[in-house]
Amino acid sequence: MAQAAPHTPATTPSAGGSGLDPLDLYAVRASLSDEERLVQESVARFVEGEVLPIIQSCFEEHRFPKELIPKLAALGLLGSSLQGYDCAGLNAICYGLICQELERGDSAIRSFVSVQSSLCMYPIFAFGSEAQKARYLPRMARGELIGCFGLTEPQGGSDPANMKTHAKKRGKDWVLNGSKMWITNGSIADVALVWAMTPAGMRGFLIDRDAPGFSAREIEHKFSLRASVTAALFLDNVLVPDEQVLPGVTGLKGPLSCLTQARYGICWGVIGAAQACLRQLLDYTATRTLFGRPLAHNQTIQVRLADMARRITAAQLLALQLGRLKDSGAMQPAQVSLAKWNNCRMALDIARDCRDMLGGAGISAEYAPIRHLLNLESVVTYEGTETIHELTIGRELTGFSAF
Ligand SMILES: Cc1cc2nc3c(=O)[nH]c(=O)nc-3n(C[C@H](O)[C@H](O)[C@H](O)COP(=O)(O)OP(=O)(O)OC[C@H]3O[C@@H](n4cnc5c(N)ncnc54)[C@H](O)[C@@H]3O)c2cc1C
């Protein structure tokens, strides 16, 4: 099966003779530290050897490849930027590169790692008690425990302040009622971080999967992220001991700060998906002969390929600067919104354009762009839709909130 050729960094010089890497025209890789390059290479090798050979059939079978979890853990990719608790303690650029290489394989694999790392381990690390950190983080880093993040509800994910799931105090415990929708890893998670409204504001509750009254149901018939588990969660008088509440945060800033971490990873991840599409197109247009010459000889084809390279390059530089800001502690949520909006739009448009340039073959599972295109329809929507991120930038510019 003709999967997208994995891009082994800096080993695929362009055909133009300059020696430039067509997927890295501004030599981002050369600006990386040795450690950052090493991380990128090892994840790229993992994707080439373990993800690409199986991912198309996983997508077709609507199956998340759980067998990859121990391998992801062995590479230190779960909670990779956290310090201590058996986590790798890597910097933000490394985390970005991990996301980029994983999403070169498939958005589902990057989504799994994002949710485990940024949406479940990060809040336990940042807002959890010492006992919660010790109980969950090392086992989550080893892939022995899977986590999920329950914020979105059926009545509207863009407006989480309108949350209906609520928690009431009963003695020293809490009683939770409500439901969550579109939860990645939901039905395979050992622990669900559920955000619920209390009289004092929103709080985060760590709920073990076997808690009476808690259930998860996988959402089937998805046309997107088919190699990822997405579920609905139901809470029917679930009793949660007070020691399972995250003590360090109250209010919407809790889940929003987790989303800032995860969106940062998406800004990098989607670059990998776009690169996979462009790589396959460069190969295809070089060999597909129409009207007596390879497609790549035509001006309009070259213009379209050049435009993809321009947009990927701009996205890479945006992600790199965002990573430098994050590592210096200066990154602002609005900067993440702009990069999430720009980079998801870039990847989605490139995947669709690549699909078109493959002609009829572009609708076949033989080629990666249609799979990336379908996946990216989720990625552009989750963790804040494109509109919500645009409105966030609008608010930043004008001082007026339009949502
Ligand atoms: C595959 C997948 C995995 C997901 N994983 C998770 C997860 O792990 N955890 C989790 O909590 N959530 C998850 N989500 C949910 C995701 O974050 C939400 O789908 C997203 O936030 C949008 O919410 P919604 O689907 O309810 O759409 P809505 O909020 O109903 O939005 C519908 C449309 O209205 C637009 N809109 C909304 N408000 C405005 C406004 N003020 N002005 C103009 N337009 C507006 C939106 O941009 C969108 O186009 C996942 C979703 C998907 C598809």
Side-chain angles (χ1 to χ4, degrees), residues 9-213:
T11 58
T12 51
S14 69
S18 65
L20 290 177
D21 179 345
L23 303 188
D24 185 17
L25 286 179
Y26 269 51
V28 166
R29 207 177 123 69
S31 75
L32 301 177
S33 68
D34 288 347
E35 181 182 54
E36 290 160 354
R37 259 197 297 274
L38 211 67
V39 167
Q40 180 176 17
E41 276 163 16
S42 66
V43 184
R45 265 197 308 277
F46 166 76
V47 168
E48 183 174 351
E50 306 281 351
V51 177
L52 288 176
I54 62 166
I55 198 62
Q56 186 63 50
S57 54
C58 288
F59 187 93
E60 286 183 43
E61 292 159 16
H62 213 313
R63 181 181 81 84
F64 170 66
K66 270 183 100 173
E67 65 272 21
L68 295 182
I69 295 175
K71 297 172 185 173
L72 291 164
L75 281 171
L77 306 188
L78 305 181
S80 61
S81 41
L82 304 182
Q83 298 282 346
Y85 305 98
D86 293 350
C87 299
L90 298 172
N91 70 8
I93 301 291
C94 286
Y95 178 49
L97 291 163
I98 289 167
C99 291
Q100 178 183 297
E101 295 310 315
L102 291 177
E103 200 148 353
R104 189 190 305 287
D106 196 273
S107 304
I109 310 301
R110 199 269 309 142
S111 295
F112 171 81
V113 169
S114 287
V115 169
Q116 178 84 347
S117 303
S118 293
L119 294 182
C120 207
M121 295 176 74
Y122 167 78
I124 295 171
F125 179 83
F127 309 122
S129 66
E130 202 42 58
Q132 290 166 350
K133 293 181 206 183
R135 177 174 177 203
Y136 290 110
L137 293 179
R139 294 190 65 199
M140 293 182 82
R142 292 197 295 271
E144 295 165 7
L145 288 181
I146 305 307
C148 71
F149 173 90
L151 178 67
T152 303
E153 298 191 349
Q155 74 277 357
S158 302
D159 184 15
N162 181 34
M163 180 172 285
K164 304 292 183 233
T165 300
H166 57 269
K168 287 193 176 134
K169 205 79 196 265
R170 186 195 290 167
K172 287 175 102 181
D173 299 330
W174 295 84
V175 181
L176 268 71
N177 280 287
S179 64
K180 300 287 174 181
M181 191 66 186
W182 302 116
I183 307 305
T184 304
N185 299 350
S187 53
I188 58 165
D190 301 287
V191 56
L193 170 54
V194 170
W195 297 92
M197 207 54 97
T198 75
M202 205 176 286
R203 303 286 304 269
F205 295 81
L206 293 166
I207 302 177
D208 293 335
R209 66 178 303 160
D210 53 6

Side-chain angles (χ1 to χ4, degrees), residues 149-152 156-158 182-184 225 230 378 381-383 385 387-388 391 403:
F149 173 90
L151 178 67
T152 303
S158 302
W182 302 116
I183 307 305
T184 304
L225 281 186
T230 315
S378 283
T381 288
Y382 70 26
E383 306 206 15
T385 66
T387 302
I388 292 298
L391 294 177
F403 62 110

Side-chain angles (χ1 to χ4, degrees), residues 343-366:
N343 290 13
C344 287
R345 173 52 52 191
M346 170 282 296
L348 188 58
D349 289 347
I350 284 177
R352 183 169 293 131
D353 212 20
C354 286
R355 207 294 310 147
D356 175 67
M357 289 161 76
L358 287 163
I363 68 150
S364 163
E366 292 282 312

